Amino acid sequence: MKLNIALLAGDGIGPEVIDQAVKVCNVIATKFNHEINWRPALTGAAAIDAVGDPYPDETHEICATSDAVLFGAIGHPKYDNDPSAKVRPEQGLLRMRQKLGLFANVRPTFTFPSLIDKSPLKRERIEGTDLVFLRELTGGIYFGKRGREDNGDTAFDTCTYTRKEVQRLAKKGFEMALKRSKRLCCVDKANVLETSRLWRETVQAMEKDYPDVEVSYEFVDAVAMRLVQWPSEYDVLITENLFGDILTDEASVISGSMGLMPSASIGESISLYEPIHGSYPQAAGKDIANPLATVLSAAMLFDGFELNDEAEAIREAVNKSLSEGIVTEDLAEGGKAYKTSEVGDWLASHI
């Protein structure tokens, strides 16, 4: 198979972790007789510095005409610390999601046997955890009307959803549940919010089309508590944009490190794959960042093309590196800490 992959390294540690994913993907391509054409493009603060736009038209054209996008991270302190900044790296990410139609963010959470005691939660609470969130990504409060009134003393952000947006996301959730343990949880705040009542009634109406799926409905605050009590009770969870943003970050620490968790943003015609961590600017250029989340995101990319053996080969190599202690300083805990590039080299060599 020939794959054209847009490569958006972004800011901070983005370029360093992306380099390791590229190493791994290139070895996979050689081993399984594929051809990958990497198509680099600018985004985030790097794009603002270069052309004044966090998601330039040229970058969008490269993404829109590729088979998939592999993405690093965006963000820089000079924008984070300036509330008056008119152009921000994150604006590029939101615009990219909207223009590419990336409506479903897929965030798995699972544990690694060799790292289970590194989790902030007790072993007995998290053993067997293997859940996945589907977060709606192009609607809700992040894309609603916003502004200021009363000479700036009153601010508002509007949360808006259409039934079609809910159906589109829920359909992905039902389909994923059918391939897993046939359990789906709809997360909302239907006791308070009208948008949540729309979510609940829409999903309830879809149940008849998926009779093999057991559906539950839980308020977002209850899910936030149960994620740290008994996360293994969940399988597939679907939710709106803001709730998903918060809950997926909470779930990410179950594994013991945000540097281990991959994600995918699914669209109608193209998908984007990225680690869940940020740009970690303090570590940029030091060759110390954990590349495994980005490498596992590349595994999800191969899964997206139904190249499951290729994806499994990557996951096997990552598990082997963890069990043998070929890890960066965030996981070393007194043992030898390998450089970002050394971990990438080891993974490629193992594969």
Side-chain angles (χ1 to χ4, degrees):
M1 181 179 287
K2 181 175 181 178
L3 299 173
N4 292 304
I5 308 297
L7 194 65
L8 275 57
D11 308 320
I13 63 171
E16 297 167 67
V17 294
I18 279 286
D19 282 349
Q20 312 320 309
V22 168
K23 286 178 188 175
V24 169
C25 288
N26 285 341
V27 169
I28 288 289
T30 299
K31 183 171 182 174
F32 289 89
N33 197 29
H34 302 303
E35 181 182 344
I36 300 178
N37 176 33
W38 298 106
R39 308 179 71 197
L42 289 171
T43 191
I48 296 174
D49 292 343
V51 298
D53 186 339
Y55 185 59
D57 290 342
E58 181 182 352
T59 296
H60 176 67
E61 180 64 21
I62 289 173
C63 291
T65 56
S66 296
D67 299 311
V69 180
L70 187 60
F71 181 71
I74 61 169
H76 195 282
K78 68 181 177 182
Y79 299 101
D80 298 339
N81 298 328
D82 182 5
S84 66
K86 302 299 183 186
V87 181
R88 297 177 175 277
E90 293 75 16
Q91 292 170 342
L93 184 59
L94 294 177
R95 199 187 321 153
M96 177 167 58
R97 289 171 179 169
Q98 197 164 42
K99 292 183 73 172
L100 293 176
L102 305 176
F103 67 90
N105 182 233
V106 182
R107 289 271 292 262
T109 295
F110 44 84
T111 55
F112 300 86
S114 60
L115 298 179
I116 199 162
D117 291 320
K118 294 184 184 295
S119 172
L121 301 183
K122 294 179 180 178
R123 169 186 286 264
E124 59 267 26
R125 292 195 180 275
I126 64 172
E127 277 185 319
T129 296
D130 181 11
L131 60 86
V132 60
F133 273 96
L134 270 79
R135 165 193 169 192
E136 202 289 322
L137 209 55
T138 58
I141 200 166
Y142 291 170
F143 292 93
K145 290 183 179 179
R146 68 191 63 187
R148 294 284 186 101
E149 297 175 337
D150 301 329
N151 295 318
D153 291 337
T154 300
F156 64 91
D157 298 278
T158 308
C159 184
T160 303
Y161 269 107
T162 66
R163 193 178 304 275
K164 185 176 180 180
E165 287 175 319
V166 180
Q167 289 170 333
R168 182 172 62 172
L169 191 281
K171 181 174 184 290
K172 291 288 186 185
F174 276 109
E175 291 171 349
M176 185 170 290
L178 284 172
K179 296 177 181 178
R180 292 170 56 95
S181 68
K182 298 181 174 59
R183 290 182 294 130
L184 179 71
C185 179
C186 177
V187 183
D188 59 38
K189 192 64 176 170
N191 58 337
V192 177
L193 301 177
E194 193 63 35
T195 48
S196 282
R197 287 189 273 274
L198 174 67
W199 270 78
R200 186 168 290 209
E201 70 182 46
T202 301
V203 176
Q204 287 174 334
M206 296 174 70
E207 284 189 42
K208 65 182 185 301
D209 298 323
Y210 302 92
D212 293 333
V213 177
E214 177 187 346
V215 185
S216 62
Y217 300 86
E218 294 190 34
F219 297 144
V220 60
D221 43 349
V223 174
M225 289 188 294
R226 289 185 62 193
L227 274 177
V228 296
Q229 292 176 313
W230 304 112
S232 60
E233 292 186 7
Y234 291 113
D235 186 43
V236 179
L237 304 95
I238 57 173
T239 192
E240 60 95 50
N241 208 338
L242 177 60
F243 296 163
D245 192 359
I246 296 167
L247 290 175
T248 52
D249 276 0
E250 180 190 9
S252 71
V253 302
I254 291 172
S255 69
S257 173
M258 286 186 70
L260 294 170
M261 290 291 105
S263 76
S265 297
I266 308 299
E268 297 289 357
S269 59
I270 191 170
S271 297
L272 177 147
Y273 302 87
E274 62 177 313
I276 69 167
H277 59 66
S279 60
Y280 191 16
Q282 302 92 328
K286 297 181 180 178
D287 203 19
I288 61 173
N290 188 342
L292 295 182
T294 312
V295 171
L296 289 170
S297 297
M300 291 184 73
L301 184 152
F302 284 108
D303 275 330
F305 292 105
E306 298 185 353
L307 300 174
N308 305 119
D309 290 342
E310 289 84 338
E312 191 55 36
I314 294 175
R315 285 190 281 265
E316 189 277 330
V318 168
N319 282 322
K320 190 73 169 175
S321 74
L322 291 171
S323 65
E324 295 195 6
I326 314 299
V327 294
T328 45
E329 63 177 30
D330 59 313
L331 298 176
E333 284 197 354
K336 179 180 178 181
Y338 288 78
K339 298 293 188 183
T340 307
S341 55
E342 290 174 335
V343 173
D345 290 341
W346 188 94
L347 293 169
S349 177
H350 179 79
I351 292 169

